[in-house]
Every structure is written in structure tokens, then in C-alpha cells.
């Protein structure tokens, strides 16, 4: 399959690498062109613009930071939409807003192109191990068409529904719950530590009993050991996601009081620690508030 790939950040790079290893013809583009070098060395082609990466591709994947990045890459004379041929497919892997997914779907439909929103669950390590979970929203035949390529970097593809924006909403719900889990775990670990029980001991009990879930197994050691740098998922991206959850909640008239607390702890973390820190460093804010 001829595949264009846009966005070679922490997530995009390992995903594109898997597509190349799966013997797809890969042409990549990244705003900072130098980041593409390892893939070029491994046999990918490099495009000068999103338009060039999309021209001739059967599928174009994008893995960009946020709504604004997608808009910039999608539109304009040198944009993805200008290069994608009729009936070709754009699969957006980024975590974007419900509104942005709707907008991208409409824009592609107006140009006779196909669109699937397919945000992913899993950090860069899961991407490197081809163990992401894909939440796909779009026409079933388009998701089927993309599935062999999606399988190169994921362990499961969930069909969320025919509307691309439903996949964005599910992804935002998941990220809200991940951060809520990190917050509750951080509070419990802090309490244990202040009460004289090692963090590792509480974690052993949690993951060995009722809390034997990937979210606690993944984030537990990070929070317990305070390994928040380098950021696998940057606190600024987490803040973006909590903002998108808030927009969706407001649109649907759903009060989410816990969301406000999570957002504030992320803001506190970014304000005191800077932007180059993992979102799970809200655990630091929790510990500091307890005088640790
Ligand atoms: P990242 O490392 O910060 O990479 C962001 C990518 O977006 C880079 O390729 C960057 O280009 C590009 N970009 C940013 N602004 C742009 C703009 N205005 N125009 C063009 N390109 C732009 O982020 P990431 O961790 O890979 O995350 C990517 C997406 O996946 C985000 O939506 C994130 O929420 C989601 N996600 C992340 C994780 C995770 O654990 N990291 C997990 C699941 C989902 P440059 O290289 O030029 O900066």
C-alpha cells in the first residue's frame, strides 16, 4: 500500500517505523524536517509538503499535536487535502476535538475524499511495541480498508461508530479517566508515604488485587518513582485534552466536577515544573500539597 505519514513526534515516529517495516511504500512529512532522517535511512521517502506526501497515496495517516496543527496541515495550497486524490483515505490518529473531527470529515467529503478518525490508546512505549489500541470512527468499509495498516502498530481496532467524531469523544473520555486514575493513585501513594508505608509496597498491593489494570501498571511505577522526565505524554498535551473534554462536556450539558480539579493540578504542574514534563507529574503537585 502507498502510505503518506504526517507528524513524526513521540507517537508518530514509532508508528511510521512499523508501517515501513510492514513493507508499505512510505512517504513522510514533518514540520521539523530533520526528525525524518532515521526513517529516510531505513527506506522511506521524504516529502517537502503535506500535499506532496498525500499525492499518490492510498492512505495518509496524520499524528499531530492538536486541532490547530491538523487544521494547518490539512488546509491550504500545500495542504494534505489539496494533494489527496478522490476516494483516497485520511486516517487521523491524533487526539482532536469533536468539532475538529466533524470539520475534517466535512472537508474531505466536500473534496470526494474519505476520512476516519482513529485516535489511539497507549504511550510511545506501546507504539514501539505495536501494542496500541485504535478507536476508529467512520464508514465501516473505510475502517476495514485501513485495518491491515492499523494492525502494523496496534493490538486491537475498536469500531466506535459511523461518525468520526464519536471516536474523538471516546478517546477524550478515556483520557479523562486515565488522569482521574493517576490523581487517585497519587493521593493514595502520598498518604501511604506520609504514614510510613513505602510507595512500592502500596503499589504491589494495588496491582496485585483489585487494581490490576494497565493504567495502574503503566503509571504506578512512574508516579511511585517520580520518573516524570523525559515526558512520554507531555503535560501540555494532557492539558489540551482536558480542555477538549471540558468543551465536549459543556456542549452536552454534563457537569464534571472532577475534571476541574484535574485541570488545575495539570496547570499547577506546568506552572511550577515547566512544559517538558509528563502529565502524570500531577502526582508531584499532590505530594507537594501534602508537604512532601
Ligand atoms: P509530540 O511528540 O509533541 O509531536 C507532535 C507532532 O505534531 C510533531 O510531529 C510536531 O511537529 C507536529 N506539530 C505540532 N504543531 C504543528 C503545526 N502547527 N503544524 C504542523 N505540525 C505540527 O506529540 P505526541 O506525543 O507524538 O502526540 C501526538 C498526538 O497523539 C497528540 O494529539 C496526543 O494527544 C496524542 N497521543 C499521545 C500519546 C502519548 O503518550 N504521547 C498517547 C496517545 C495519543 P514538530 O516535530 O515540527 O514539532
Amino acid at each position: 500500500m502507498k502510505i503518506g505519514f504526517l507528524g513524526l513526534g513521540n507517537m508518530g515516529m514509532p508508528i511510521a517505523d512499523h508501517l515501513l517495516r510492514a513493507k508499505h511504500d512510505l512517504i513522510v512529512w514533518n514540520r521539523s524536517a530533520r526528525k525524518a532522517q532515521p526513517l529516510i535511512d531505513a527506506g522511506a521517502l521524504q516529502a517537502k509538503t503535506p500535499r506532496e506526501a498525500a499525492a499518490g497515496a492510498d492512505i495518509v495517516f496524520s499524528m499531530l499535536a492538536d486541532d490547530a496543527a491538523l487544521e494547518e496541515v490539512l488546509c491550504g495550497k500545500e495542504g494534505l487535502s489539496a494533494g489527496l486524490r478522490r476516494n483516497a483515505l485520511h486516517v487521523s490518529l491524533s487526539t482532536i476535538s469533536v468539532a475538529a473531527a466533524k470539520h475534517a470529515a466535512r472537508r474531505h467529503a466536500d473534496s470526494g475524499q474519505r476520512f476516519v478518525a482513529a485516535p489511539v490508546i497507549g504511550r510511545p512505549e506501546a507504539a514501539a511495541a505495536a501494542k496500541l489500541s485504535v478507536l476508529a470512527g467512520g464508514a465501516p468499509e473505510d475502517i476495514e480498508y485501513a485495518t491491515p495498516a492499523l494492525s502494523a502498530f496496534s493490538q486491537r481496532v475498536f469500531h466506535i461508530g459511523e461518525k468520526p467524531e464519536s471516536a474523538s469523544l471516546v478517546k477524550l473520555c478515556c483520557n479523562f479517566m486515565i488522569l482521574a486514575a493517576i490523581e487517585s493513585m497519587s493521593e493514595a501513594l502520598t498518604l501511604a508515604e506520609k504514614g510510613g508505608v513505602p510507595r512500592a509496597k502500596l503499589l504491589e498491593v494495588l496491582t496485585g488485587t483489585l487494581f490490576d489494570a494497565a493504567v495502574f501498571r503503566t503509571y504506578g511505577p512512574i508516579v511511585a518513582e517520580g520518573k516524570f522526565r523525559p515526558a512520554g505524554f507531555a503535560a501540555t498535551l494532557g492539558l489540551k485534552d482536558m480542555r477538549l473534554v471540558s468543551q465536549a462536556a459543556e456542549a452536552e450539558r454534563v457537569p464534571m466536577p472532577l475534571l476541574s480539579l484535574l485541570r488545575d493540578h495539570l496547570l499547577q504542574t506546568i506552572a511550577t515544573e515547566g512544559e517538558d514534563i509528563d502529565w502524570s507529574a500531577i502526582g508531584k503537585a499532590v505530594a507537594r500539597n501534602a508537604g512532601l
Side-chain angles (χ1 to χ4, degrees), residues 7-12 29-32 35 63-66 68-69 72-73 93-96 120-124 171 232-234 237 240-241:
L8 302 172
N10 286 337
M11 295 295 286
W29 175 87
N30 194 59
R31 180 179 62 176
S32 316
K35 282 195 196 165
M63 189 39 138
L64 301 157
D66 52 20
E72 223 173 294
V73 164
L93 302 169
S94 321
T95 306
I96 52 171
V120 299
I121 308 258
R123 291 168 60 88
K171 169 64 185 168
F233 183 55
L237 288 177
K240 172 259 302 180
D241 288 351

Side-chain angles (χ1 to χ4, degrees), residues 6 21 45 48 59 72-73 82 88 90 97 117 119 138 141 161 175-176 193 227 233 259 269 272 277 284 288:
L6 314 175
R21 285 170 196 267
L45 296 175
K48 289 200 177 63
I59 303 183
E72 223 173 294
V73 164
H90 172 201
S97 68
E141 62 273 22
N175 273 17
F176 164 70
E193 183 181 340
K227 285 190 185 153
F233 183 55
L259 174 63
T269 303
T272 54
I277 195 155
K284 242 180 147 151
R288 184 168 297 140

Side-chain angles (χ1 to χ4, degrees), residues 28 31 39 48 97 110 112 129 138 176 229 241 247 261 265:
V28 299
R31 180 179 62 176
L39 293 170
K48 289 200 177 63
S97 68
D110 289 348
F176 164 70
R229 289 188 175 90
D241 288 351
Q247 286 167 4
L261 181 146
H265 274 172

Side-chain angles (χ1 to χ4, degrees), residues 29 35-36 51 61 68 94 116 118 132-133 138 154 162 168 210 231 236 245 270 284 289:
W29 175 87
K35 282 195 196 165
R51 178 186 177 137
F61 287 97
S94 321
V116 166
L132 294 174
S133 295
S154 67
E162 298 236 356
S168 293
L210 287 180
T236 46
V245 175
I270 293 167
K284 242 180 147 151
N289 290 344

Side-chain angles (χ1 to χ4, degrees), residues 19 22 27-28 60 65 83 99 129 135 155 220 255 258 262:
L19 289 168
I27 177 160
V28 299
V60 173
L135 314 175
Q155 58 185 356
L258 185 52
L262 299 174

